[in-house]
Amino acid sequence: MSGDSRSAAGERVGENIEDPMATCTSDMEYFESYQDFDTHRLMLADKVRTNAYKDAIYNAKHLFEGKVIMDIGAGTGILSLFCANVGAKKVIAVEASELARFLPKVVEANGFQNVIEVIHSKVEDVKLDLKIDIMVSEWMGFYLLHESMLDSIFASPCKIPELWKNCHDFWNEKQYGFDLSCFSDVAKIKNKPEIVSVASDCLLSDAQLLWDLDLMKISLDELKSLNDRRFFAIEEDGDMQGICIWFTCAFPVQDEEGVDATLSTAPWLPETHWKQTVVVLPEQTSFEAGDITGWDLHLEKSDHGRSYKIQLECLDANEEHPVPCLCGSVKCELVRHFMKTHPDPSESIMNNTNV
């Protein structure tokens, strides 16, 4: 991590934080990381994750029957098997890692050798003479954009007492009778987010949607850099020690009761292997219920293209708020009310200004 890491309002914290798997600096290293069977055991054992895909595919059986499906990044082939099981005419399982060598045996063991074709290749290099009707892929990263994957990203200020103690207080306590506190300031500078489970009662405010990304419309250029400026109203007294980030993905199908199929890693829902992503702040700030805090958050795609650098700047409540702002302050609520009652932008220049 480079640059300052101060937590006072208006100063930057967590500058150039890399995501937790940013050590994969090339496509080769990235795909090799998915040859680790422990990785796939972890994902398959994640019932929330796997059942969400299973339910989405099975509830859309009528869309898959008799169709040609491409499974991008097939891994163990579980999504390909789901698709074949609901009546797909053909499934093309594309896998770039050496795991592809095992997939034909998996296909044969489950009796789908006449349906599922395995291609050992990066999807960018695949050339086909047939039309693909549906593409499936498990593409979500730890804070959704890790591995360059997307949908809806949420965040909230949080307290993380145990993690904070491990990250910060450890060095201020004597170790084996010796003072090692000189390492404390260096240890505060985190060079990567933490992937941990955050209890819902550790969130200090209501969650807010940072980015809602439409797979059908978003372009690669739009994903190179993402910026977010917002403010939060603190709901209860507590120490703000980090920023908790999670994601929700919506599948374009409904179950038998008409409920949209979703997969969420929110703190108040059953845990997934993604858990939550926490940007640990170098200094904690004590807040009382009703206080306002904010940030400027910037995500920049790294040079090797499969991770993001995170830059966070804490903001004082008196700094410019975006319009509209969901912080709940009287001023911002008045602006939001005005905008709702005057939806025509020509009626007010406030739609394009800050407050």
Side-chain angles (χ1 to χ4, degrees):
M1 185 176 90
S2 62
D4 293 336
S5 297
R6 297 162 289 179
S7 62
E11 296 180 340
R12 290 178 179 175
V13 298
E15 184 166 346
N16 292 341
I17 296 176
E18 286 276 8
D19 64 63
M21 290 178 65
T23 52
C24 299
T25 57
S26 68
D27 281 347
M28 181 178 293
E29 290 179 351
Y30 170 77
F31 292 122
E32 285 177 351
S33 73
Y34 276 91
Q35 294 170 198
D36 185 346
F37 284 94
D38 283 341
T39 299
H40 292 281
R41 178 187 55 78
L42 179 67
M43 291 190 287
L44 286 172
D46 185 341
K47 301 298 184 182
V48 175
R49 166 257 190 195
T50 308
N51 280 327
Y53 272 88
K54 179 183 177 182
D55 292 345
I57 293 171
Y58 280 39
N59 288 334
K61 179 179 179 180
H62 62 288
L63 299 177
F64 286 80
E65 287 180 325
K67 299 297 177 63
V68 178
I69 316 299
M70 176 179 281
D71 181 3
I72 301 173
T76 58
I78 190 66
L79 299 190
S80 294
L81 294 171
F82 289 158
C83 294
N85 204 40
V86 296
K89 176 183 178 181
K90 185 176 183 63
V91 179
I92 300 171
V94 181
E95 174 57 43
S97 79
E98 288 299 309
L99 207 64
R101 295 191 298 109
F102 298 90
L103 284 182
K105 296 179 181 179
V106 173
V107 171
E108 185 175 356
N110 289 278
F112 289 118
Q113 58 268 30
N114 294 325
V115 178
I116 301 176
E117 175 187 351
V118 178
I119 297 180
H120 187 186
S121 171
K122 293 170 57 179
V123 69
E124 296 91 334
D125 299 330
V126 174
K127 296 181 180 179
L128 299 172
D129 294 328
L130 72 167
K131 175 180 174 292
I132 302 297
D133 297 306
I134 300 174
M135 290 187 294
V136 297
S137 180
E138 196 275 69
W139 38 259
M140 288 80 73
F142 283 103
Y143 48 92
L144 195 61
L145 288 170
H146 168 69
E147 299 177 18
S148 304
M149 301 169 177
L150 47 132
D151 211 327
S152 298
I153 306 175
F154 298 84
S156 171
C158 66
K159 55 185 178 182
I160 39 172
E162 290 302 317
L163 180 58
W164 183 267
K165 180 177 177 62
N166 291 337
C167 293
H168 293 75
D169 295 346
F170 176 85
W171 295 105
N172 290 320
E173 299 172 352
K174 285 193 174 183
Q175 303 297 326
Y176 304 96
F178 296 99
D179 184 350
L180 304 180
S181 60
C182 61
F183 291 117
S184 178
D185 289 340
V186 178
K188 291 178 182 178
I189 304 174
K190 302 290 291 181
N191 64 358
K192 64 180 180 66
E194 295 286 341
I195 307 303
V196 295
S197 294
V198 178
S200 58
D201 59 5
C202 286
L203 302 181
L204 296 177
S205 76
D206 288 340
Q208 291 192 35
L209 174 65
L210 305 188
W211 298 289
D212 193 18
L213 307 169
D214 189 336
L215 282 171
M216 297 296 291
K217 299 177 181 178
I218 199 76
S219 69
L220 290 176
D221 284 342
E222 290 177 282
L223 292 173
K224 289 180 179 178
S225 178
L226 294 169
N227 298 282
D228 178 79
R229 182 185 180 94
R230 68 182 55 245
F231 290 80
F232 292 80
I234 299 298
E235 298 292 325
E236 61 179 57
D237 297 357
D239 295 326
M240 178 178 168
Q241 299 165 328
I243 307 300
C244 180
I245 304 173
W246 65 92
F247 67 84
T248 295
C249 294
F251 297 95
V253 294
Q254 296 181 330
D255 62 19
E256 295 177 353
E257 299 178 354
V259 178
D260 291 337
T262 60
L263 171 59
S264 178
T265 63
W268 53 86
L269 294 176
E271 183 177 301
T272 71
H273 80 281
W274 289 287
K275 301 182 181 181
Q276 287 82 43
T277 298
V278 174
V279 178
V280 182
L281 302 179
E283 301 290 345
Q284 64 183 3
T285 304
S286 295
F287 286 105
E288 296 181 353
D291 288 345
I292 304 295
T293 187
W295 65 55
D296 263 326
L297 182 63
H298 177 67
L299 271 65
E300 186 76 26
K301 204 166 188 179
S302 60
D303 294 338
H304 53 82
R306 294 197 179 274
S307 64
Y308 280 77
K309 294 180 179 180
I310 304 175
Q311 182 173 289
L312 178 71
E313 180 180 354
C314 289
L315 301 175
D316 185 88
N318 295 322
E319 298 194 44
E320 285 187 342
H321 291 217
V323 173
C325 177
L326 303 177
C327 74
S329 67
V330 173
K331 186 175 182 179
C332 290
E333 287 300 299
L334 288 172
V335 171
R336 290 181 64 210
H337 176 74
F338 183 88
M339 293 179 68
K340 287 181 179 179
T341 56
H342 298 77
D344 186 351
S346 64
E347 295 183 17
S348 173
I349 62 171
M350 296 183 70
N351 285 348
N352 298 309
T353 61
N354 288 324
V355 296

